[in-house]
Amino acid sequence: LNDIDLPENLKVVGDLAFQYAGLTSLTLPNGVQCIGKSAFENATAMKTLTFPQDSMFISLGSLEEELSIFKGAVSLETLVLPNALSVIGKGVFENTGLKSVEMADPSAPSGLTDIGANAFRNCVNLTSFDHLGMAETIGDAAFMGCTSLESALPAEGLEYMGAMAFAFCNNLKETYIPKSVTTLGGNPYAGFASDRVNVADDHANLTVERKDGVLTIYDASRTTLLAVYGATGEYVFDQGIARVASGALAGNAITAAVLPANIACIEDYI
């Protein structure tokens, strides 16, 4: 299947509908309200997907379940999303060839509030994502491995910033952990040098420490180690640490670690 015109009254694109299809481009009718699991998974010829400007589509995928809607669509380069869209779910565009993500009405603000875990993971051709102004949640590893990404700046209003959210996106020109963040899932900027991570020293919900070129971020109670930047050689944990969050030490040049006696939990990607 290389080409199709979808009817204007279409409301649902079902599970597996175009999996492995040979479509090169598709414009979805503005009445579409739901796209099912793996609907375009491994549609490797698709280059462009467009939602019309007046589309009221609000949720692409799920924040709870990975639906792999476009996973493996390696030729997908251009994505035009409706401004009404508020949710991009888990793994929706993981491992796609995306180069640009635009809004159907570029003169109007994006309504995106939630970006799920792995949503754009390993989109190695993506150069910018300038639609985070309203974001309240950026999930774990949402942009991890987007090695060409230069612009994707979280804004005040963000409440949850996931572990490894921008890990190894080393071409980013700016980084920021907003003061509004109430929960940091782990290390959001793993692989970055300490002087490249922008976080306020007086952050209300985090304890931020800078010493000898090393930036360390703890939770407010200083019992969870969230992120370390710029550490080398042997790393000695504070004795009060009970939990090491996901990716806390990732990207450092640490050769040995001395753990505290009462540590209770070490999460993944340490």
Side-chain angles (χ1 to χ4, degrees):
L1 180 63
N2 298 319
D3 185 51
I4 190 171
D5 289 324
L6 298 175
E8 282 300 318
N9 61 351
L10 183 70
K11 295 187 182 303
V12 177
V13 178
D15 294 355
L16 310 174
F18 297 101
Q19 189 184 42
Y20 297 106
L23 293 169
T24 56
S25 66
L26 185 66
T27 297
L28 294 169
N30 61 13
V32 171
Q33 299 172 2
C34 177
I35 299 177
K37 186 174 184 177
S38 301
F40 297 92
E41 185 176 12
N42 292 320
T44 55
M46 182 177 287
K47 291 186 176 182
T48 304
L49 176 74
T50 302
F51 285 82
Q53 187 168 315
D54 54 353
S55 171
M56 296 307 294
F57 194 90
I58 60 172
S59 182
L60 187 55
S62 166
L63 295 174
E64 288 74 38
E65 179 185 3
E66 186 161 318
L67 300 182
S68 303
I69 296 175
F70 295 95
K71 189 174 183 179
V74 294
S75 297
L76 183 62
E77 296 181 350
T78 303
L79 177 65
V80 181
L81 295 173
N83 293 68
L85 186 71
S86 61
V87 174
I88 297 177
K90 280 187 175 182
V92 170
F93 295 105
E94 184 177 0
N95 295 327
T96 63
L98 275 176
K99 292 182 178 180
S100 66
V101 179
E102 304 164 5
M103 290 295 151
D105 182 356
S107 65
S110 163
L112 273 177
T113 57
D114 299 284
I115 299 173
N118 303 312
F120 293 93
R121 184 170 181 172
N122 294 330
C123 292
V124 297
N125 298 318
L126 185 63
T127 58
S128 65
F129 191 89
D130 298 321
H131 313 296
L132 297 176
M134 300 291 289
E136 298 172 1
T137 299
I138 299 175
D140 297 344
F143 294 91
M144 179 178 177
C146 294
T147 52
S148 299
L149 193 64
E150 296 182 357
S151 174
L153 193 64
E156 293 300 339
L158 186 68
E159 297 174 2
Y160 178 83
M161 192 171 187
M164 313 293 276
F166 297 96
F168 309 110
C169 298
N170 294 104
N171 276 316
L172 280 173
K173 297 184 184 302
E174 293 183 83
T175 67
Y176 187 46
I177 301 175
K179 286 188 173 184
S180 57
V181 168
T182 56
T183 303
L184 197 61
N187 186 346
Y189 289 110
F192 282 69
S194 59
D195 60 353
R196 294 192 60 206
V197 179
N198 184 6
V199 57
D201 290 346
D202 60 349
H203 198 292
N205 302 304
L206 304 171
T207 301
V208 178
E209 180 181 275
R210 304 175 196 271
K211 184 178 180 181
D212 299 327
V214 177
L215 169 62
T216 308
I217 304 175
Y218 307 91
D219 68 340
S221 67
R222 207 184 170 101
T223 58
T224 296
L225 178 65
L226 294 168
V228 177
Y229 303 96
T232 61
E234 183 178 79
Y235 185 80
V236 180
F237 287 79
D238 281 4
Q239 284 303 305
I241 296 299
R243 170 177 165 258
V244 181
S246 182
L249 302 180
N252 289 276
I254 294 171
T255 57
V258 179
L259 295 170
N262 296 320
I263 195 163
C265 177
I266 300 176
E267 296 183 356
D268 54 4
Y269 294 113
I270 186 175

